[in-house]
Amino acid sequence: GENVGLHLPTLSVQEGDNSIINCAYSNSASDYFIWYKQESGKGPQFIIDIRSNMDKRQGQRVTVLLNKTVKHLSLQIAATQPGDSAVYFCAENRASGAGSYQLTFGKGTKLSVIP
Amino acid sequence: NAGVTQTPKFQVLKTGQSMTLQCAQDMNHEYMSWYRQDPGMGLRLIHYSVGAGITDQGEVPNGYNVSRSTTEDFPLRLLSAAPSQTSVYFCASTEGVQSYGYTFGSGTRLTVV
């Protein structure tokens, strides 16, 4: 079946190092991808997005890379800080028929930053 | 601008009871959706709406009803609660489903006993 998943469920990173969170997707028709950060007890928070006609997009301390050939998405966080500790989800937006779209989430990666 | 507001934040129901989870947004977003999140899992889409008067089913719609009488509100109804519906529920909205990130509410933690 089609899914959006993550290679690693947990990731521990030393403060100041760079973090890389990976995501695999299988629906080649997906044209829009989003990374969310979810802190404990809160709703998902938008981090960065990328459209399928791009392979890289940068934000403040974050970069998203999209490799359509292998259907792989990654989130890079530069100079990881304790406040970056959270669960990170990738999500793909794909058509569900009749002009509608649905956002499908992966299971998430828990990032822990070691002070 | 409050964003997406969900009420209540916590709720305990007995099996068979019914209730409505409220969701309101003040951003004039056309698209709204409901997700549930279970431990160790990502969010799964329950129902969504592309505008007032239009709703459709997501991945896990059974046991839930929705309506969209106004642009601002998108309530989720549990007709007869079951323990399997114990979860955290999130409402989200977006200006454009193809180009914009979704804004999520803070969630409703529901326990069915």
Side-chain angles (χ1 to χ4, degrees):
Chain A
E2 297 172 343
N3 65 84
V4 176
L6 295 168
H7 295 306
L8 296 173
T10 60
L11 178 66
S12 294
V13 176
Q14 200 74 36
E15 181 179 358
D17 288 351
N18 296 334
S19 303
I20 299 177
I21 302 172
N22 296 305
C23 177
Y25 68 96
S26 57
N27 189 336
S28 58
S30 295
D31 60 1
Y32 178 54
F33 303 87
I34 311 170
W35 279 100
Y36 285 93
K37 172 186 180 183
Q38 187 177 26
E39 297 174 290
S40 180
K42 297 183 179 180
Q45 178 185 5
F46 173 89
I47 301 174
I48 192 168
D49 58 0
I50 189 168
R51 297 189 61 81
S52 59
N53 61 353
M54 304 171 67
D55 54 18
K56 180 179 180 179
R57 192 171 187 206
Q58 288 184 298
Q60 186 177 12
R61 284 201 306 118
V62 295
T63 300
V64 55
L65 299 177
L66 176 62
N67 186 330
K68 294 180 287 294
T69 302
V70 296
K71 297 187 182 66
H72 184 267
L73 194 68
S74 69
L75 176 70
Q76 300 178 0
I77 304 174
T80 311
Q81 303 170 359
D84 295 326
S85 294
V87 177
Y88 290 81
F89 294 95
C90 66
E92 63 176 318
N93 201 44
R94 55 192 183 195
S96 59
S100 294
Y101 284 77
Q102 294 187 16
L103 194 65
T104 301
F105 284 78
K107 290 183 170 55
T109 293
K110 183 176 181 180
L111 175 65
S112 297
V113 181
I114 305 166
Chain B
N1 188 337
V4 178
T5 302
Q6 289 184 239
T7 56
K9 292 190 181 300
F10 301 94
Q11 183 71 50
V12 178
L13 287 179
K14 293 183 179 179
T15 297
Q17 285 185 317
S18 63
M19 80 158 295
T20 300
L21 280 62
Q22 301 292 342
C23 176
Q25 52 90 10
D26 60 359
M27 299 171 284
N28 202 33
H29 286 172
E30 290 294 328
Y31 188 95
M32 297 185 73
S33 53
W34 276 102
Y35 291 84
R36 61 176 288 174
Q37 185 175 32
D38 300 302
M41 298 186 68
L43 285 76
R44 292 184 291 169
L45 182 65
I46 304 172
H47 285 284
Y48 64 98
S49 169
V50 299
I54 306 170
T55 63
D56 208 344
Q57 296 181 348
E59 179 185 356
V60 288
N62 293 339
Y64 308 95
N65 278 357
V66 291
S67 61
R68 185 90 180 274
S69 57
T70 67
T71 298
E72 295 77 20
D73 300 299
F74 190 43
L76 178 72
R77 297 183 185 86
L78 282 71
L79 302 178
S80 179
S84 62
Q85 294 178 304
T86 294
S87 188
V88 181
Y89 292 84
F90 289 100
C91 178
S93 73
T94 183
E95 180 176 350
V97 297
Q98 289 182 272
S99 303
Y100 300 90
Y102 291 54
T103 300
F104 282 81
S106 58
T108 294
R109 184 174 293 275
L110 176 67
T111 302
V112 183
V113 298

